[in-house]
Structures are given as structure tokens and as C-alpha cells.
Amino acid sequence: SVMMEVIRIIKAAGLQPKRTIRIALWSGEEQGLLGSRGYVKNHFADPADMVLKPDHAKVSAYYNLDNGTGRVRGIYLQGNAAAGPIFSKWLESFYELDAKTVTIDNTGGTDHQAFDAVGIPGFQFIQDEIEYDTRTHHTNMDTYDHLVPEDLKQAATIIAAFVYNTAQLDTKIPRQELPKPRPAGGRNF
């Protein structure tokens, strides 16, 4: 719902991005990032051989929001130091919304890893963990009444700025060195 709101914000503001902005809803994240891995393998590259497909060169960045509700506090750079100054500048507008952190740190277990594994910069937003590790998360009690509307609005606003700014750049978000192939049998992500 946050990503759909991101697109609604951009459209309602009458913005015309230079490049395509695509949103996705993945299945099988908790079963091993199955949806995002399958998409990446079919459209960009297979980490087992790292033969890049034509669409690989078209993607600037992938942004992920994984922890459900919870205010965005910043973004993980996933080791991509060159993206740090760009993201720090973009977050300046959101300091009063308490989104200030740009950390070189990595975080795991989310769909951005499928993109990172083939050299497409993938980033995960840092969020408040509202009931993330309680008995509610990923259970039949994980329902809409546990959402915090103000947090979702804050997240959508920040992410709309990130994806729009990315689409407006003259160049792509800086990339790290292309990963080496990881043959089947080893950990691909």
C-alpha cells in the first residue's frame, strides 16, 4: 500500500518523471526471496553465471520497504558509499519527519538482496519496528488494525521523493563492482 501511495503522490503532484518508475509486490520473501529472485533472474541476470541481460543496464536503483508499518528513519547503503552523499542530500528535506540516517551498513533478509546480487543497487529503508518481533508479525494476528496510518504516510512521502529524484538524475545511482558468478549449490544471495 505504501508503494501504491508513492505512485499516487507523484501523479497527484503532476510530476512527469524522466524515467519509468516501477513498483512490485513480491511473493515468497519469507521462503527465500523467491519472487524477487525469480524476477531478477528472468529480467536482469542469473547470479550463477552473471551474464547480464539488456534490461540490467536500464535500472538505476531498487528501493525496498519491508517492515510493514513504522516510520522511515533513513536508509541502509548496503556498502554503497558513493550513494551516501546523494541520499543524505535527499533526506535533508525530511529531517523534521525524523528521517536522518544514512548508514553504510547492510541489512539482510529483504528483497533488495536479489538486486544487489546481480549488481543493481538495492536499498532497504530503516524503519521503526512496530510489533515486528512480537507474536503479531507474520501471524494471523498481523492485520490492518495494527497499521499506523501516520507512519505509512510519512514512509510514502519519503519514498516518493527517493524514486522521483532517482528518475530525474542524469546518471544512474552509483554502482558497486559487479559481483562474481556464484554457481548453483552455493548461496546466491
Side-chain angles (χ1 to χ4, degrees):
S1 64
V2 169
M3 295 310 183
M4 290 190 305
E5 179 65 4
V6 164
I7 299 303
R8 191 202 65 75
I9 290 169
I10 291 169
K11 291 183 76 68
L15 301 174
Q16 297 293 318
K18 290 181 187 177
R19 291 180 198 78
T20 300
I21 295 171
R22 184 176 295 171
I23 65 170
L25 174 63
W26 307 115
S27 62
E29 187 246 9
E30 295 295 331
Q31 292 73 38
L33 312 178
L34 298 178
S36 58
R37 284 180 177 173
Y39 185 85
V40 165
K41 185 176 178 180
N42 289 335
H43 295 277
F44 306 123
D46 183 343
D49 61 24
M50 287 304 295
V51 175
L52 304 182
K53 297 181 180 189
D55 283 348
H56 187 280
K58 296 178 184 178
V59 178
S60 180
Y62 171 83
Y63 298 103
N64 199 72
L65 186 75
D66 181 54
N67 297 333
T69 203
R71 294 176 71 81
V72 166
R73 298 301 181 171
I75 193 163
Y76 292 101
L77 292 176
Q78 298 304 121
N80 187 343
I86 297 166
F87 294 167
S88 291
K89 183 72 174 161
W90 292 351
L91 280 177
E92 285 176 6
S93 299
F94 301 106
Y95 283 3
E96 65 186 46
L97 296 178
D98 298 319
K100 301 175 183 176
T101 303
V102 176
T103 179
I104 195 73
D105 290 347
N106 296 317
T107 188
T110 72
D111 291 297
H112 72 279
Q113 291 180 285
F115 292 81
D116 268 345
V118 298
I120 295 173
F123 304 99
Q124 167 69 18
F125 288 96
I126 302 166
Q127 290 178 266
D128 286 343
E129 294 185 358
I130 308 295
E131 297 184 346
Y132 194 83
D133 289 322
T134 67
R135 64 186 181 132
T136 322
H137 189 71
H138 291 312
T139 71
N140 62 354
M141 292 178 63
D142 196 354
T143 57
Y144 293 110
D145 60 320
H146 292 277
L147 297 175
V148 180
E150 291 307 312
D151 290 356
L152 299 173
K153 290 173 188 175
Q154 184 256 21
T157 302
I158 293 168
I159 296 169
F162 267 70
V163 298
Y164 180 74
N165 287 335
T166 300
Q168 295 303 99
L169 290 174
D170 291 329
T171 60
K172 291 185 278 194
I173 293 293
R175 294 182 179 217
Q176 298 183 84
E177 183 178 328
L178 197 63
K180 304 286 184 234
R182 298 180 191 158
R187 278 189 68 102
N188 290 336
F189 298 98

